[in-house]
Amino acid sequence: MTVEQIEALLADVAAGRTTPPAALERLRHLPFEDLQFARIDHHRALRQGHPEVVFCEGKTPEQILAICERLEAASGTFLGTRASEAVATRLAARFPRVVWNQLARTVHLPAADQPKRVSQTDTILVISAGTSDLPVAEEAAVVAEVFGHPVERLVDVGVAGLHRLLVATEQMRRARAVIVVAGMEGALPSVVGGMVSAPVIAVPTSVGYGASFGGLAALLAMLNSCAAGVTVVNIDNGFGAAAAASRICRA
Amino acid sequence: MTVEQIEALLADVAAGRTTPPAALERLRHLPFEDLQFARIDHHRALRQGHPEVVFCEGKTPEQILAICERLEAASGTFLGTRASEAVATRLAARFPRVVWNQLARTVHLPAADQPKRVSQTDTILVISAGTSDLPVAEEAAVVAEVFGHPVERLVDVGVAGLHRLLVATEQMRRARAVIVVAGMEGALPSVVGGMVSAPVIAVPTSVGYGASFGGLAALLAMLNSCAAGVTVVNIDNGFGAAAAASRICRA
Amino acid sequence: MTVEQIEALLADVAAGRTTPPAALERLRHLPFEDLQFARIDHHRALRQGHPEVVFCEGKTPEQILAICERLEAASGTFLGTRASEAVATRLAARFPRVVWNQLARTVHLPAADQPKRVSQTDTILVISAGTSDLPVAEEAAVVAEVFGHPVERLVDVGVAGLHRLLVATEQMRRARAVIVVAGMEGALPSVVGGMVSAPVIAVPTSVGYGASFGGLAALLAMLNSCAAGVTVVNIDNGFGAAAAASRICRA
Amino acid sequence: MTVEQIEALLADVAAGRTTPPAALERLRHLPFEDLQFARIDHHRALRQGHPEVVFCEGKTPEQILAICERLEAASGTFLGTRASEAVATRLAARFPRVVWNQLARTVHLPAADQPKRVSQTDTILVISAGTSDLPVAEEAAVVAEVFGHPVERLVDVGVAGLHRLLVATEQMRRARAVIVVAGMEGALPSVVGGMVSAPVIAVPTSVGYGASFGGLAALLAMLNSCAAGVTVVNIDNGFGAAAAASRICRA
Amino acid sequence: MTVEQIEALLADVAAGRTTPPAALERLRHLPFEDLQFARIDHHRALRQGHPEVVFCEGKTPEQILAICERLEAASGTFLGTRASEAVATRLAARFPRVVWNQLARTVHLPAADQPKRVSQTDTILVISAGTSDLPVAEEAAVVAEVFGHPVERLVDVGVAGLHRLLVATEQMRRARAVIVVAGMEGALPSVVGGMVSAPVIAVPTSVGYGASFGGLAALLAMLNSCAAGVTVVNIDNGFGAAAAASRICRA
Amino acid sequence: MTVEQIEALLADVAAGRTTPPAALERLRHLPFEDLQFARIDHHRALRQGHPEVVFCEGKTPEQILAICERLEAASGTFLGTRASEAVATRLAARFPRVVWNQLARTVHLPAADQPKRVSQTDTILVISAGTSDLPVAEEAAVVAEVFGHPVERLVDVGVAGLHRLLVATEQMRRARAVIVVAGMEGALPSVVGGMVSAPVIAVPTSVGYGASFGGLAALLAMLNSCAAGVTVVNIDNGFGAAAAASRICRA
Amino acid sequence: MTVEQIEALLADVAAGRTTPPAALERLRHLPFEDLQFARIDHHRALRQGHPEVVFCEGKTPEQILAICERLEAASGTFLGTRASEAVATRLAARFPRVVWNQLARTVHLPAADQPKRVSQTDTILVISAGTSDLPVAEEAAVVAEVFGHPVERLVDVGVAGLHRLLVATEQMRRARAVIVVAGMEGALPSVVGGMVSAPVIAVPTSVGYGASFGGLAALLAMLNSCAAGVTVVNIDNGFGAAAAASRICRA
Amino acid sequence: MTVEQIEALLADVAAGRTTPPAALERLRHLPFEDLQFARIDHHRALRQGHPEVVFCEGKTPEQILAICERLEAASGTFLGTRASEAVATRLAARFPRVVWNQLARTVHLPAADQPKRVSQTDTILVISAGTSDLPVAEEAAVVAEVFGHPVERLVDVGVAGLHRLLVATEQMRRARAVIVVAGMEGALPSVVGGMVSAPVIAVPTSVGYGASFGGLAALLAMLNSCAAGVTVVNIDNGFGAAAAASRICRA
């Protein structure tokens, strides 16, 4: 039931075309959720300026194409994560302007008109511990950029060679939010968390073997960080970290 | 090596009392960390306006008293979490102004002069799912208040009775950061994350039994939240959630 | 906003005392959840005839007393689970009619007037594997009885002595729903599930030691039951099983 | 020993061709289970009107064909789950009327004569949280239909967008049994369980990555549901949920 | 239905008092399980010569006394495991002849007449790795003795001091069955399994700390033994090992 | 140090070519393990009459061929488990008499002369719960046969259809040792353990999905069996169960 | 067979009282393990100069006293770990010279004569991350000292405040072996491992809560250290780390 | 800031071109980490004489080639682990002198001039339990050799055939450090640890199936070793063990 429909109903009551009990009956069952639905959608259009994001893993190229066509029709843009080369190829055949970031595994159709930046100054810094963590870090970076944030990257600064991290102290302290991506022992967020006062979002990766148990070791380490105020997202969830950072920088 | 020592060394070089090569040798081995140490401390004093926080669990009342005396001497204030009644009693005998929050299990000695609020408008909202989650939620709330943030509370809004949550939609949307505390199936952060655009920090609690495995069920649920951008802290870590929210609201 | 308040508002619109836009504004922000809330409450009163259930574990006798007083004032009755002797004693001092089932660990204040039975014929059968499973089984049985269902019990019929179970075949086949409570290897629900066509609700218990891992072994076994259509609740959750059986028998 | 054999034996005793002690000896060792077996089979034929169900995963197309031929010969119909395209192709070559549901991964040979519906009114509602959960949800729906139940579907109603679920409140409340299929954090059954009084069967799926641990996160969440009376089946076990719902609706 | 009842029924058929169809009907529903039940009980009396065993943990002294009185009345003897001092004291007050083995935590009332030995030569050897494993090892030894088997013990022969084990090679090779009790890394059964050709039953114990996870480390090690043919029982299950060894030596 | 070397040393002492102290010194450091090694090998030849068993999984056909050639040269026979078709083909090209059991995944070269049976009467009974458990059950059966034991098989007797198991009661009671193979909930060994007095060796299989966690559910269930004296081997370890049964039947 | 017995045997051969074949026969079955046993003991006396170490947890004061008396009689000294105050009191009553380190939970009876230092220069450095890790760190330090090694301590240098660690760089680089004790996220060994070239032994502690799972998080982190060559001991195993460091420094 | 830059700055101070306060300001912000970085690199060149090691798994041949070219240019040598045949082929096409060890999965480009041995006498002994553990053991051996240590190997000495291990006692006792590689139950390090006084580094392997859980069983066993002072590295981490042994032998 839309606002217009409620207006019409109330007008009918005022005009005597509908009795109060009949109106009550309609309102009692009113699908307020439609209002809610519409409001939220509208909210998104106004506030966020970015499309829904498609998680491509486990979907066929045809399914992804169908979803992206619907998104493109509605908003003129779309973003997909965990996109294989097959998916990228299929989308590129239909949308020549689509951008495939092979490392980040993202597919993005930019809007025809340049989207407004959320901020020119609130930088999101994405730090990654090892080169194998780069796909997850790059996913975070690309998503944050598509969401309209300035992004900086700091790579290969594992805790076993601290000097590489320490030289970037000033860069870290300038960021409005810091995403720290690390596999194996997942120690980097604790170190970073002790060096900056900005929000630190830790992303454990499945990089490792044996007792890393697919990223569990890094996940547990990050949850137990001795640096107060470090928060954690799911293993390999670069997208989620970017979304969290975007919530922080958006307000 | 302190700033004063470096000044003296440079003065010696300027005065010709020390040759540049000799000064280089001393600087090459300079314990730069002392500078670093001092700088960080100073940073804290200027920026955060709140003392270090003492995790009291597993420490004796005497040990806690010793730490708090040192903190009080340095800053005129202290805050402890996971404080038992015995700890509170011991501290109160020494610091009559200490405030023990029995539910939150916090002990706090307020500074003599009222600390400046970080912000009057950036509210941190603490939502808890069940009454058994209250100690963790209250820990988060008290810590956030001590850190200088306006705090609101929303309690007993478990997902099995959604209407209680839905009525608070506007309150949720006003918050600058939302802390969601839940045990058992840990579903509340996903629902809240879908309703607000502010950062959502999920705190799993050990409330539950059997297959909750001490909070593991809630923790895993929150890490897998389908609401993009929800971040998670350790089980029962109300303090950590407050620290994360404070990082967000501080900038 | 209650139904009465909406009626009044609509009457105001019909009478011209409120304009349609003003009514729309009030309705737009209407706390529909209050309606929802009220409706649910009313629903409960009409349909279920039983009070909310208090999970006593982890609450103090004083807290439980406060909750039960509120429930008694609203409905004239209450039911609590996981109630210790201290809780029972505290409640009995205030409500002399309260019934404490020591084995089931339940406290129940029956309504002054005998509640209508949901059904005289749809029996819920509670089967338990070993004597140590009895507290959980009895919790299920007592809760089902309080919820208005005829209950039968079948005890000590572990799978290592099948004959004890087989003699009860007819009793099992008469039941409208069967709750099967077992610890250790949790095999009983599979056997029962193969013998009856009624719904089978399996309750793993924490009875066991070593590799039972607090009921995990039984839980996993029940989830992997080779008898099609066996469903499972949490470890030691006799209450949940009774609630599920009540949902089945209620329609 | 068949019923016919027992009849013959008793006739022999009545005719004096066998003495009572000799008959006792034969009966003492009678393979009563054959009677049992026959009775059960007969029971199935009378009561359930549906064939045994073949779990195809891990079997070769030839093995499945052999089993299905035996089932078809006995009952004129069969149903298989987890059927790949290779299996479907192999069966279709032999049974041209076979129906392969690619999404549900089921193969079904309908009986020549339309089976009687168990009920025209007791609807089983299958709700799924995300599009990736559809195969499991559809398996549940197809099996329930083959078992003779009216089925309704409600898809893509994840808890991070509650409005989509709330609009379907009435549909949910009409159902005799509700199957809720969800991966990731598995929160949907708790929300649904709080909205309906019908039995709710939760099906965790392996949809997710990282700390979903193949569906463990959703499984644990569902077992810890704060909505009283939600029961759970194994991860991805759409068939089991349908079988449980069928037990509920059958009586 | 007892044998006598079937005899009577058949006599009725022979005498024409019951028609074959009527008799068939009664036999079709015969509670064969009663026959089964009786047979099993009789079997036990003839074959095993030892009472049922009471698992005392988690039962009150009064409950245990009641069970033991019933066992004593039926068989003149009883055996209980995991018996605390309180249990032993309570039983001794009622049965002055009861024997409490404090280390093994067993209570035993020997039969008035000396039970026949199952064998004079088939020795069960109980080996334990460390002194902390002794309670479990002694439980196994006492149960095996009560079950009528000659028992030998070999203690404190951990794998980090192999020489202590190697000197006992001949003793190990004489045994008809070997029970190996070990906590921590649980390596002893592999070593013993490589030295003897008799059946080896491995008993992991919960002795250890940290990553022993309550005996899980030892359990997994034993399940992965590279010595072919080592079998395993539950953590701390000395009783089960003795029962298994008794099954081996009984034939 | 070989027997020949010790003989030579002693002859030297007897002949006065070596003094006793010098001989002692050499003997003190004697590599007694060589004696041990030789003795064990001889022991095997005399006692067991079967070759070492090759675990083929993870080895290349060439590696397996090399090992089998060495075994054939030494003993005229070999046995391999977990053998793929490629392995079988490679071995058959070299040893035309080799027997590949496709279901059991075994390769066996029988000795030219028929090996003596360990016993004609001590039967090993292999019971399997479902058809998917057959490969593991057949591995156990084939290995037991190669080791010289009479073997019987009982298949597809899952606990959800008990009648199929109950008709085989007598067959089960005749066995000297019973191997019970089951996946999913792993309940069958408990039922069998309650029906026979022979040793019961439980083999969990990885058959199942979701919360079976690769056989963990069945493994835990079997370790927690309420039937006293059931022992357990590793998941899918049919070979180990046969080896254990062989140890039991060998004495 | 003792050395004396072998001497006698060889003398018999030399004297012609025993033939070489007869002597061979006796030697073939010689209990070589007694030689082995004696040799090892002697080895210890010569090489290590320290008594066996008693793990006191789970033993009664009386048991510990008995063991220590035996050790004292043999060597004039003993060392116990995980000793409670009750244990210390009991030992002090018997051995007035015993030293109880309350923090390390050690009891030590020094030898009457000062033991030789293994080395004056090979220092073992014990680093601990937080004050709650001190008991484990101190256990390592005390054991290393009792074993004869110079020990240095570096405390409270958690990774969230790196500057505290960096100032100690030179001290770390001087050590011959470094023991790093940390709970929570267990990140410290990686950082230290990147700063020194000496062997680093990581000791996870059970310090933490929630998702630290009793030290599992720290354990996994340390096993996945990105600093090459860090090794790990069991959770809270300060003793084991000291023993490992002693093995390193001993050669 | 390089050493040259600091020299220039100090010269400016000495020459009066820069005042001490201005110099202090520049030094206060000096990127000391660059100094640190350079120092560490230099340190490596002087002390270790071996290149960084490339973990090839999960990298493409092209990526690995690029890294190796950079390493070769800097040091004239490189070493890679977990190298597939494709990687080896790609590197050999570019560096004809590269050595691929197929079993160890290593690729090594030796330096043109023979590197100095770290020691001629401090041998690292690599022991492996089964033939399937050889790849991990060989990785350890090759890495240790490349790092400049004399290496010995002892293979196929599983604990179920102890005599094979015992004959090598002297060889084991000669080693300066012992690496013990074992899968399945992981018992070998405990046995070895009891036989030698040198440092023992245990490497669990993922060899096994079922309840080995990818090496978890061996890992836990090794962490719980009853031989004091055994340390552990990650599952399958032969490289890490070699690095640890190298740290031990390097000093």
Side-chain angles (χ1 to χ4, degrees), chain G residues 13 21 48 69 72 77 121-122 139 152 164 197 208 225 230-231 240:
Chain G
V13 172
Q48 302 183 337
E69 284 178 332
E72 193 270 347
T77 171
T121 57
D122 280 357
E139 180 185 279
E152 295 187 8
R164 296 173 296 185
S197 64
S225 174
V230 169
T231 61

Side-chain angles (χ1 to χ4, degrees), chain B residues 9-91:
Chain B
L9 178 64
L10 291 170
D12 284 352
V13 173
R17 286 190 296 271
T18 300
T19 65
L24 175 63
E25 196 57 26
R26 286 196 60 193
L27 284 168
R28 185 197 294 273
H29 298 291
L30 97 166
F32 46 78
E33 297 80 6
D34 278 358
L35 279 170
Q36 181 82 357
F37 187 28
R39 187 163 39 145
I40 283 182
D41 258 5
H42 189 59
H43 219 159
R44 271 203 185 154
L46 288 179
R47 187 183 70 235
Q48 301 183 338
H50 56 77
E52 296 218 43
V53 178
V54 186
F55 185 80
C56 297
E57 206 167 272
K59 301 199 180 77
T60 66
E62 290 312 309
Q63 291 174 318
I64 294 162
L65 177 59
I67 296 169
C68 288
E69 284 177 333
R70 221 160 50 204
L71 289 168
E72 193 270 347
S75 66
T77 171
F78 59 77
L79 172 64
T81 61
R82 308 273 179 114
S84 64
E85 181 160 12
V87 167
T89 303
R90 188 71 191 82
L91 290 173

Side-chain angles (χ1 to χ4, degrees), chain G residues 123-202:
Chain G
T123 300
I124 294 173
L125 174 64
V126 181
I127 306 178
S128 54
T131 51
S132 302
D133 301 314
L134 276 180
V136 176
E138 194 62 16
E139 180 185 279
V142 168
V143 170
E145 286 171 339
V146 169
F147 281 12
H149 304 279
V151 171
E152 295 187 8
R153 291 160 174 85
L154 185 56
V155 303
D156 202 15
V157 289
V159 296
L162 275 181
H163 51 284
R164 296 173 296 185
L165 184 66
L166 296 176
V167 295
T169 303
E170 288 312 310
Q171 180 183 20
M172 285 193 277
R173 292 195 174 144
R174 277 196 311 269
R176 176 65 184 92
V178 183
I179 293 171
V180 185
V181 181
M184 301 183 74
E185 81 270 65
L188 190 55
S190 292
V191 173
V192 172
M195 295 173 72
V196 304
S197 64
V200 173
I201 300 161

